[in-house]
Each structure stands twice: as C-alpha cells, then as structure tokens.
Amino acid sequence: MKPKHNKAKRETTLNRGVASLEEAQAWFARQNIEEIECVVPDLAGVARGKIMPVRKFLGTPSMNLPLAVFYQTITGDFPEFEGAVSAVQSDTDIFLTPDFATLAAVPWAQDPTAQVIHDAFHPDGRPVEEAPRQVLRRVLALYAEKGWVPIVAPEIEFYLVDKNTDPDYPLKPPIGRSGRPETGRQGYSISAVNEFDALFEDMYEYSERQGLEIDTLIHESGVAQMEINLRHGPPLELADQVFMFKRTIREVALEHEIYATFMAKPMASEPGSAMHIHQSIVDKDGKNLFSDKKGEETALFHGFIAGQQTYLPAIMAILAPYVNSYRRIAKDSGAPVNTQWGYDNRTCGLRVPPSDPANRRLENRIPSSDANPYLAIAASLAAGYLGMTQGLTPSAPVATDAGAAGIQLPRSLSESLKLFEQCEPLVEILGPIFCQAYDHVKQAEYETFMRTISPWEREFLLLNV
C-alpha cells in the first residue's frame, strides 16, 4: 500500500539551490526544515555522508569523514591500500564543504528534510582527487583553459522490477495497474507507461521539487524498462541531477512496493540499460564550436569524434564499471559494441543525432546506466578533449550496420582495467591519484565476484566435467 503524504507540506518545498549559508538559513526557515542530509557521491555514485539537525549544520556546515569513503567497494569492503594510499592515511579525516547550489528538499522523507551535495578537501585545502565531483571539475578546468564550455544531456534507462529479497532468484517484471505484468516488448508504448501512472506522477512531483529537469519519459524495449531524458546543461549540474534522480526513482519505486534498478543487465532475456551522453562544446558566447559560420562541421568536431573513437576502450572501465556491465556488451544484444560513428545510426557507439548547426552534438551510446554519472561524463569529455588537442582524425562515418564489424570493445572488467591503467594521456587528465584509487577499488570488486560460484557453473559443470 502506498504511504499517505501531507500534500500541503509537500507543496511548500520547491526546487533547489541557494547562493550562501545565509540564504540557506532563510530557506530552511521558510520550509520548516528539521534535518539535513549531507551527502558526497563515492566512486560508485552511492550517497555517503551524515544526517544532522539543521541547527548543528548551521553552526558547523563543514563536516569530516575518513578518506577511505572514496575507497569503499560496492560490497562495502575496502581494497588493500598498499600501492594506493597508506592504511593510516585512509583513515585520516577529510573535510566536506556544502555546495549550496545543490540544496534541495528530500521529498520522500517523513519529516521536513533537506539534502546538499558536498565537495571534499584535505586539511590543507587541497581538493580530494579521488572524489568524483573533483574528477569532473578537473576535466572541465582543462576545457576552460581553452575557452571551451562543454554542454551535456544524459539519457538514463532503468527497469522497474518486482521486489526481490533473495538474490538467488531471477528478477521479474512488476504488476501494473491492470493486475498483470508485462510479458512482451512494449517499446515506446504509452499504455505500458500508464500501467505505472501513479508511480510516475510521484516521480515527476519529487523531481520538480528538487529542480530536476526531466525532458521526456518513454518506455524502452525491455519489459518494464523505462528511459528518462534530462534537459541539456553544464556537465557538473547534469551529473548532480543524474545522481539525485537515481536516488529519487528508487525511493518512489519503494513507496509503490517495487524496485527501480540501474543494473546494466538485470534480466538475462531482456536488453541492457544505458546512460547515453549527448555532448557539444560552445565558446564563452554560447556558439557551437562543432559548426562553422557556414553551418559546416569543424575540425574540432572531427577531433572530438576521433578522441572518443580512440579512447573509448581505455575508458570502458568507467563507462562499464561492474562485471554485470559487460553482459550488455554482447553481439545481437541491441547495445552498440563498437567505436564507429555515424549520422543518426544507432548501431554505432557514437551517433550524430539530426539537428541544425547550432545544436550539432555527438551522442556517446556506450555507457551503461550503472556508471557513476560524474565519472562517465568526465571520461567521455576527456576522450573528446584529447582528440581535439591532439588533432586526431576520425574514421569514415558508417551508414550501414556497424555491428557487422564485431565487438570492438573490451569484454570484461579485468580487460578494461588493463587498458585504463596503461593509457597515460587519460591518467594525466583524470588524475593519477584518482586513477590509482579507482583501479584498486575495481580490482577488489572483481576479485570478490570471482569468489562467487554462479548457477550456470553448477548447472553445466557439476556433473558433466
């Protein structure tokens, strides 16, 4: 049964962002906020942090956590710190400072609650390089030095699934308002979305109250698979919105007694879920640098494409960060599995959507929906930056089925990590400290997976080998 809410209270807390602590104090008072969630996104995109009373937050808005928060694996464990950071250093404090531009309500909270995303710093004031927001800021600073301003628009796919409390059992589609689960592919079906109208009404309301600018909602090709598109804007702001949206739709789904999952491949017989990233670069006046005065494609545009083509294999460890992510990268899976580009060709890993010259952009279709949005956007923009600054030239655009060339991307996390750690230009842009930390965490997650025996192994190997 969906919990009841105080509608009057819900309508008073709208949108996000203030300019200062003083404005935040006035905002808290207007909204009768009692608690605040002080969050920082970790390497997996999980919200870590503390919950505190507003009066304490206003007294000391900077909080401390151990550096190890950026070394925690998705299983909650920690890797061997040797080679990345000392065990002593991992347990020393870092200081988190609120970015008041991200201040927003927590619409699903029972009591009036706010949330604010924090940035991480060492005691001497240096940014914590392992922090995903800082990785993205580092890449954006390189663009700023050139007078370039990236613009992005993410599209995020996810599944609604029935509650599943036993991980040994496969996931199933949830029951909609008709009382029946989906049994066939319902891509772009309005009636299939309408099956979960109440859920999506809450999703839109909760998103609006947090200032999340959802452009469109569609039903994707999998059973109860959905996609939301966010409006284009600055990369850090859009990464924050993806981070907040993931929290939001999970909470909304739980209120409706189902799960929302961003696993890349949650069901064996269904398509995987992606996080497509539309990217363009403008100058300080907002002019699209991918188009010249005549509306033709520029050398920068071609360099950006070539950079993505060249470095996609090396950034796969970020765009496909888990063992499960590579179940989506399979032949005839519907997902692009190549580094080709083409005009409005969805079989290519890199697609140029139809547009006028002012809106010319490149869509990176490779990232899976389980990727950390800060890191995926940073890595994709880093690849494009390298292509533009190195003067790279792309291959010819593909107008036919790009999948016919076979799989051109790494097929496993271990293979991706090798390419990632060996790519010196990428390590330099993203930061050696971050890359070392990321590699350690992902290696530890891979070793954890390798200790798990799957049902496939028991079914086919137990009595046959």
Side-chain angles (χ1 to χ4, degrees):
M1 189 73 171
K2 182 173 179 272
K4 301 295 183 182
H5 294 277
N6 185 327
K7 187 72 173 179
K9 181 189 291 184
R10 292 169 71 179
E11 289 176 345
T12 61
T13 310
L14 298 171
N15 300 323
R16 77 181 188 285
V18 296
S20 65
L21 178 62
E22 291 72 25
E23 289 188 19
Q25 185 172 4
W27 188 90
F28 292 145
R30 288 197 305 272
Q31 315 302 337
N32 299 313
I33 299 295
E34 300 171 3
E35 289 186 332
I36 184 162
E37 296 179 352
C38 304
V39 301
V40 59
D42 72 358
L43 292 188
V46 173
R48 308 287 180 185
K50 298 180 179 180
I51 302 174
M52 63 179 70
V54 164
R55 62 181 181 277
K56 180 176 181 180
F57 174 82
L58 291 173
T60 54
S62 181
M63 67 173 181
N64 57 305
L65 287 175
L67 178 65
V69 74
F70 294 114
Y71 287 83
Q72 195 165 6
T73 69
I74 197 65
T75 63
D77 298 320
F78 296 91
E80 292 292 335
F81 290 110
E82 185 177 354
V85 64
S86 71
V88 173
Q89 185 183 357
S90 73
D91 210 30
T92 57
D93 275 352
I94 56 173
F95 296 89
L96 302 179
T97 301
D99 180 349
F100 286 109
T102 68
L103 180 65
V106 181
W108 54 85
Q110 291 186 349
D111 297 316
T113 303
Q115 60 184 319
V116 64
I117 300 173
H118 286 58
D119 289 308
F121 298 90
H122 291 287
D124 61 5
R126 289 178 297 118
V128 173
E129 291 190 38
E130 296 93 332
R133 282 186 115 225
Q134 174 57 25
V135 176
L136 179 52
R137 278 201 169 101
R138 181 184 177 108
V139 174
L140 295 178
L142 293 174
Y143 275 86
E145 289 175 4
K146 298 285 188 182
W148 300 338
V149 182
I151 302 295
V152 302
E155 302 173 347
I156 310 106
E157 297 170 352
F158 60 95
Y159 275 90
L160 299 176
V161 298
D162 208 15
K163 274 194 170 181
N164 180 300
T165 58
D166 189 337
D168 282 337
Y169 284 87
L171 298 174
K172 299 186 298 184
I175 304 296
R177 65 177 185 174
S178 67
R180 303 177 65 184
E182 285 185 33
T183 56
R185 301 287 171 86
Q186 298 291 335
Y188 301 101
S189 167
I190 298 297
S191 60
V193 173
N194 292 157
E195 283 285 293
F196 303 99
D197 264 350
L199 183 153
F200 290 124
E201 285 173 8
D202 285 347
M203 179 196 77
Y204 274 112
E205 181 183 346
Y206 285 8
S207 296
E208 182 179 350
R209 294 180 62 215
Q210 296 171 89
L212 308 182
E213 298 185 72
I214 295 177
D215 192 21
T216 57
L217 164 69
I218 64 170
H219 192 296
E220 263 293 344
S221 56
V223 292
Q225 184 188 32
M226 309 295 169
E227 176 186 287
I228 65 107
N229 301 336
L230 296 173
R231 293 177 62 84
H232 65 273
L236 183 60
E237 181 180 334
L238 268 296
D240 285 337
Q241 289 199 44
V242 174
F243 170 71
M244 295 169 73
F245 174 77
K246 282 187 169 185
R247 293 190 72 203
T248 300
I249 191 61
R250 287 193 194 102
E251 292 291 339
V252 171
L254 286 173
E255 288 188 357
H256 290 264
E257 299 295 331
I258 60 177
Y259 292 160
T261 180
F262 293 88
M263 277 182 68
K265 185 76 169 177
M267 290 183 274
S269 59
E270 298 299 327
S273 290
M275 180 172 64
H276 302 152
I277 304 172
H278 291 250
Q279 309 154 98
S280 60
I281 313 297
V282 302
D283 63 17
K284 63 182 187 328
D285 297 320
K287 179 184 177 299
N288 192 333
L289 296 178
F290 289 168
S291 301
D292 63 19
K293 292 180 180 179
K294 296 180 180 179
E296 303 296 328
E297 296 173 357
T298 62
L300 284 178
F301 182 53
H302 293 153
F304 191 87
I305 295 172
Q308 305 251 310
Q309 285 191 295
T310 302
Y311 292 101
L312 267 176
I315 61 176
M316 277 296 288
I318 289 177
L319 305 185
Y322 302 102
V323 174
N324 176 264
S325 311
Y326 295 84
R327 301 191 187 283
R328 174 176 164 262
I329 307 299
K331 187 174 175 59
D332 301 324
S333 66
V337 294
N338 56 75
T339 60
Q340 302 302 312
W341 75 283
Y343 297 100
D344 199 18
N345 185 345
R346 286 183 169 84
T347 69
C348 293
L350 301 166
R351 169 179 171 256
V352 179
S355 73
D356 58 33
N359 294 298
R360 181 171 279 124
R361 62 194 186 275
L362 182 70
E363 177 190 12
N364 184 349
R365 297 175 54 77
I366 299 299
S368 49
S369 60
D370 55 3
N372 181 318
Y374 301 97
L375 299 181
I377 293 171
S380 192
L381 290 176
Y385 175 87
L386 286 169
M388 292 189 292
T389 57
Q390 293 174 351
L392 300 182
T393 302
S395 62
V398 176
T400 55
D401 181 4
I407 298 176
Q408 300 173 328
L409 297 168
R411 293 301 311 278
S412 70
L413 180 59
S414 60
E415 183 184 352
S416 292
L417 287 170
K418 288 178 183 178
L419 296 174
F420 174 70
E421 63 190 18
Q422 293 169 0
C423 186
E424 293 182 6
L426 188 66
V427 171
E428 179 63 28
I429 285 186
L430 299 180
I433 293 175
F434 157 73
C435 290
Q436 196 170 55
Y438 190 83
D439 182 66
H440 271 64
V441 167
K442 291 300 162 185
Q443 294 285 3
E445 290 176 351
Y446 182 74
E447 291 302 323
T448 301
F449 172 80
M450 290 302 292
R451 292 196 293 268
T452 302
I453 309 302
S454 70
W456 185 94
E457 292 164 278
R458 289 190 291 271
E459 180 176 354
F460 295 105
L461 304 182
L462 182 66
L463 301 178
N464 293 329
V465 296

